[in-house]
Amino acid sequence: MEGYGQSAGDCWLLAAIASLTLNPEVLCQVVPDGQDFGPGYAGIFHFQFWQFGEWVDVVIDDRLPSRDGELLFVHSAEQEEFWSALLEKAYAKLNGSYEALSGGSTTEGFEDFTGGVAEWFELKSPPPNLFHIIRKALERGSLMGCSIDITSATETEAVTAQKLVKGHAYSLTSAEEVMFRGGIVQLVRIRNPWGEVEWTGAWSDRSVQWNGISAQDRSRLQQRTEDGEFWMSFPDFLHHYSRLEICNLTPDTLTSGQVLKWNYTLFTESWRRGSTAGGCRNYPDTFWTNPQFKITLEEADEDDADGNCSFVVAMIQKNRRRQRRMGEDMHTIGFAIYDVPPEYEAVNNVHLPRSYFATHCSRARSESFINLREVTSRLALSPGQYLVVPSTFDPHKNGDFALRVFTQSRSLSQPMDVDEIRVTFEDEKPPSEDDVPDNFKNLFGKLAGPDGQITVFSLQRILNKVVSSRSDIKTDGFGLETCRNMVNLIDRDGNGKLGLLEFKQLWDKVQKFLKVYKKNDLDQSGTMSSSEMRVAVEDLGFHLNNSLTQLLVARYSDQEQLVLDFDNFVSCLIRLEAVFKMFNTLPKDENGNVELGLIQWLTLVMG
């Protein structure tokens, strides 16, 4: 295949397609057999791509973008071969548009064609056995790409004196050793997906070095056509290129001769601004709110002399290309791994708190935080339980991700979150007349109406007068709806008003809320951040999971600054308490579930 990607900016995809042609089995997975222009042709084609844990079918018609009778983007040297252009169209449909394919890493295409696991090698400091790794990867059908870093935007697609293109994605398609002048020379074959612009240095198509090897090797390896594919020595490759990407069809290490059966676990989760998007360890106030996953490494690898367990953690951002039309792009992502403390080893329905991360260092982490679709690390730790905390670098970044965990030996992985949603109410014995101090009775007498009751409107005036005189808390005033919910929660006789004992009970509740609010306002700003609110809600006995926390933040916090003032904090707690108490009064089946009729449902949501 000969093609170019300058118009779409998707040379990374072209490099992946070029590598795909080297593995017929994988090619048939992506481009199913039996599709041609013969009898029964209906003008449609279908392709399959791996997307975050599952294979997705994409169906397209046969209309391809062109100008003056020429294909605009990918094309083949064969005038009647269209599969690569159709594949590009299907991939553009998967990602939302051709424009969405502009700029990327070859490993994105590799993984979406194979469902494999990608690894990176920085060629400034390569492992000593990298050539062996490359040859082994080729034997196993791995797909490989390479690129040359740029130092500024002006260098993008700049051509060097020896005709290598900076900031451009190439495929690595072969590696060979040949005898040359009495010694062994290691060679790699590189493909430029543009189908032109080739290396002109040593071992290029017409270089004199080919005269120094056997006629058999020369016939087998040398090409003299300007097809974009060329050989170069491995030392020159390391010198001129910056990065090598390898997508392994399985996580089998390329440094061992053993093919293993890997244990595999897939999680899909989200980061949500204000609730589960805590950012990296640089943000200790929010880092602990990120999703957490427990890995149990049960036994050491048989061939590990140190008694460690090998595993691979791969975290991939979902659907970021599709969101470019909304001004989004790749987040900068990474992960950290911690020991699970002994008291949490036997439980999963918890979320480790801020205090744990404030006093413990990570055991391992991704090599760096980077704005690529996926970060992958191959690690080895002793048997035990570990916590993986994936995050964006900065907090409050919305995003969805998939986390893959591969282990060589037996293991168990599961998310760490509150799966038993519950509340623990303190014993709230209604006060008696004797429990009410005389000064409170006198105050109530001045505030109550002629009937000795406080209405919703009176309660609103009372609360707003009290909070407006305080400088240590911020509020824009209690709304009528919040006050109505407060009365409904406490009102025992159903008259929509509060008597002395009911008002005393509500007053004590608000004072308790105020105490917890002040305690968790760590920066004494007078407001409560969303992460502080999460702790405060738990202090008051509510054990909620991530999705419910996200709901509360969206419903009650200021969406710009992600803070709650005091009246919204009280409103949140009153509503939580009311719905929990209402649920507890409903009849349940043996699984603790309730079935509601229309009247019950309307009463619940309108109450």
Side-chain angles (χ1 to χ4, degrees):
M1 182 194 75
E2 179 183 356
Y4 59 91
Q6 292 143 300
S7 298
D10 61 354
C11 62
W12 61 273
L13 176 61
L14 303 185
I17 293 174
S19 294
L20 184 63
T21 63
L22 303 177
N23 191 319
E25 184 178 348
V26 176
L27 179 61
C28 287
Q29 169 80 35
V30 179
V31 188
D33 282 337
Q35 303 188 80
D36 54 37
F37 300 101
Y41 175 64
I44 62 171
F45 297 90
H46 84 276
F47 299 85
Q48 295 184 114
F49 302 105
W50 183 88
Q51 288 287 280
F52 321 120
E54 62 181 358
W55 286 92
V56 177
D57 268 304
V58 178
V59 179
I60 59 168
D61 60 32
D62 58 3
R63 293 173 61 87
L64 293 171
S66 61
R67 182 185 295 127
D68 300 327
E70 299 288 336
L71 291 175
L72 278 176
F73 305 135
V74 176
H75 66 269
S76 172
E78 302 294 331
Q79 294 299 313
E80 296 183 355
E81 184 179 288
F82 297 99
W83 73 268
S84 56
L86 292 165
L87 172 61
E88 182 191 37
K89 177 175 178 175
Y91 198 67
K93 180 179 179 180
L94 180 73
N95 286 280
S97 67
Y98 279 96
E99 183 182 12
L101 302 184
S102 177
S105 164
T106 309
T107 53
E108 286 189 53
F110 286 166
E111 291 190 331
D112 289 346
F113 295 159
T114 67
V117 185
E119 294 186 82
W120 295 55
F121 296 89
E122 295 296 335
L123 301 182
K124 289 180 181 177
S125 53
N129 60 339
L130 182 58
F131 189 78
H132 169 77
I133 289 174
I134 291 172
R135 296 194 72 174
K136 184 176 177 186
L138 290 165
E139 290 170 4
R140 292 192 177 176
S142 300
L143 307 184
M144 284 183 282
C146 52
S147 59
I148 303 171
D149 284 347
I150 59 174
T151 57
S152 67
T154 59
E155 286 190 332
T156 302
E157 295 186 352
V159 181
T160 69
Q162 292 174 306
K163 296 296 184 71
L164 296 178
V165 185
K166 293 186 176 182
H168 181 60
Y170 289 83
S171 306
L172 195 157
T173 59
S174 185
E176 296 283 348
E177 290 182 330
V178 295
M179 291 297 299
F180 176 72
R181 295 177 181 173
I184 294 178
V185 173
Q186 295 176 331
L187 302 176
V188 291
R189 188 174 65 198
I190 311 295
R191 176 182 283 181
N192 181 348
W194 287 351
E196 53 191 21
V197 188
E198 292 187 13
W199 162 252
T200 58
W203 298 100
S204 58
D205 286 355
R206 291 174 174 81
S207 71
V208 298
Q209 282 78 14
W210 292 106
N211 298 326
I213 65 174
S214 69
Q216 182 180 3
D217 283 340
R218 187 165 56 248
S219 173
R220 181 170 58 92
L221 303 179
Q222 188 181 18
Q223 300 176 106
R224 292 183 177 272
T225 57
E226 183 75 9
D227 58 358
E229 196 162 48
F230 55 87
W231 291 92
M232 65 193 311
S233 73
F234 187 60
D236 277 343
F237 171 71
L238 296 178
H239 176 71
H240 288 281
Y241 282 85
S242 308
R243 186 174 298 107
L244 173 68
E245 306 164 37
I246 301 179
C247 182
N248 306 309
L249 303 189
T250 73
D252 286 334
T253 175
L254 298 171
T255 58
S256 165
Q258 191 176 11
V259 177
L260 304 167
K261 180 175 176 60
W262 288 75
N263 297 289
Y264 167 61
T265 306
L266 170 72
F267 301 106
T268 56
E269 252 294 356
S270 302
W271 295 296
R272 288 294 176 262
R273 185 172 181 265
S275 54
T276 57
C280 70
R281 182 65 184 265
N282 294 352
Y283 302 91
D285 290 342
T286 55
F287 174 73
W288 66 276
T289 65
N290 285 299
Q292 301 174 7
F293 303 90
K294 183 195 285 187
I295 303 174
T296 303
L297 303 176
E298 297 186 355
E299 56 188 33
D301 300 343
E302 291 182 3
D303 57 349
D304 192 291
D306 297 323
N308 287 328
C309 308
S310 300
F311 63 105
V312 175
V313 178
M315 179 176 67
I316 188 169
Q317 304 186 64
K318 299 174 66 175
N319 306 314
R320 299 306 297 175
R321 287 191 176 275
R322 296 187 66 87
Q323 295 168 358
R324 280 186 174 178
R325 66 183 70 180
M326 296 173 281
E328 298 286 341
D329 211 331
M330 297 294 178
H331 290 315
T332 301
I333 60 171
F335 58 83
I337 299 178
Y338 294 81
D339 291 308
V340 172
E343 62 269 28
Y344 290 104
E345 288 181 353
V347 295
N348 300 318
N349 59 334
V350 294
H351 192 94
L352 265 64
R354 179 183 186 277
S355 57
Y356 174 78
F357 298 101
T359 56
H360 292 78
C361 295
S362 61
R363 281 289 302 274
R365 55 182 176 269
S366 54
E367 291 184 13
S368 62
F369 276 76
I370 192 166
N371 60 337
L372 293 176
R373 188 176 72 158
E374 184 173 49
V375 295
T376 303
S377 291
R378 187 182 295 272
L379 305 161
L381 293 173
S382 57
Q385 293 190 355
Y386 300 94
L387 195 73
V388 182
V389 185
S391 73
T392 56
F393 185 82
D394 295 312
H396 308 313
K397 300 290 186 181
N398 288 325
D400 302 312
F401 67 90
L403 184 75
R404 292 184 289 169
V405 180
F406 301 87
T407 58
Q408 285 191 20
S409 302
R410 286 192 308 155
S411 67
L412 178 67
S413 304
Q414 61 256 5
M416 291 280 280
D417 193 12
V418 177
D419 56 11
E420 182 188 358
I421 299 169
R422 57 188 172 86
V423 63
T424 305
F425 291 122
E426 293 182 3
D427 290 334
E428 291 186 347
K429 188 167 120 182
S432 63
E433 287 272 359
D434 296 337
D435 297 325
V436 182
D438 290 339
N439 61 344
F440 191 89
K441 291 178 181 178
N442 294 333
L443 174 65
F444 179 81
K446 295 176 183 178
L447 300 174
D451 59 353
Q453 301 277 319
I454 289 180
T455 66
V456 169
F457 302 98
S458 298
L459 177 63
Q460 184 184 28
R461 287 194 298 272
I462 294 165
L463 291 175
N464 285 336
K465 184 175 181 180
V466 171
V467 296
S468 65
S469 64
R470 299 189 65 123
S471 60
D472 56 342
I473 59 173
K474 291 183 180 178
T475 175
D476 55 4
F478 283 85
L480 196 60
E481 184 65 25
T482 298
C483 294
R484 184 173 284 117
N485 287 336
M486 295 167 102
V487 171
N488 291 341
L489 180 66
I490 302 297
D491 178 22
R492 290 192 294 274
D493 53 19
N495 67 355
K497 300 178 183 180
L498 299 178
L500 171 64
L501 300 183
E502 293 169 328
F503 182 66
K504 179 63 167 66
Q505 184 179 357
L506 177 61
W507 188 260
D508 290 343
K509 188 180 293 292
V510 172
Q511 291 299 310
K512 180 174 70 173
F513 293 167
L514 178 61
K515 182 178 179 181
V516 172
Y517 184 87
K518 293 277 294 170
K519 170 191 168 187
N520 288 285
D521 178 16
L522 301 178
D523 58 1
Q524 298 184 337
S525 63
T527 60
M528 184 173 289
S529 70
S530 55
S531 58
E532 291 170 342
M533 182 207 75
R534 184 169 181 163
V535 178
V537 166
E538 188 153 329
D539 282 352
L540 289 162
F542 297 96
H543 301 274
L544 310 178
N545 64 9
N546 285 339
S547 59
L548 279 174
T549 301
Q550 292 171 14
L551 180 65
L552 294 184
V553 170
R555 174 72 172 81
Y556 293 100
S557 72
D558 177 299
Q559 289 303 294
E560 290 297 320
Q561 300 181 14
L562 293 176
V563 297
L564 290 83
D565 56 13
F566 184 62
D567 60 282
N568 276 304
F569 179 66
V570 172
S571 179
C572 171
L573 293 168
I574 291 293
R575 186 64 178 159
L576 267 178
E577 184 171 336
V579 296
F580 266 103
K581 287 183 173 178
M582 192 176 301
F583 181 83
N584 290 341
T585 65
L586 298 172
K588 302 172 184 64
D589 62 20
E590 64 275 10
N591 297 317
N593 300 318
V594 299
E595 183 175 335
L596 300 179
L598 179 60
I599 296 298
Q600 290 174 305
W601 169 250
L602 290 174
T603 302
L604 177 64
V605 299
M606 298 298 292

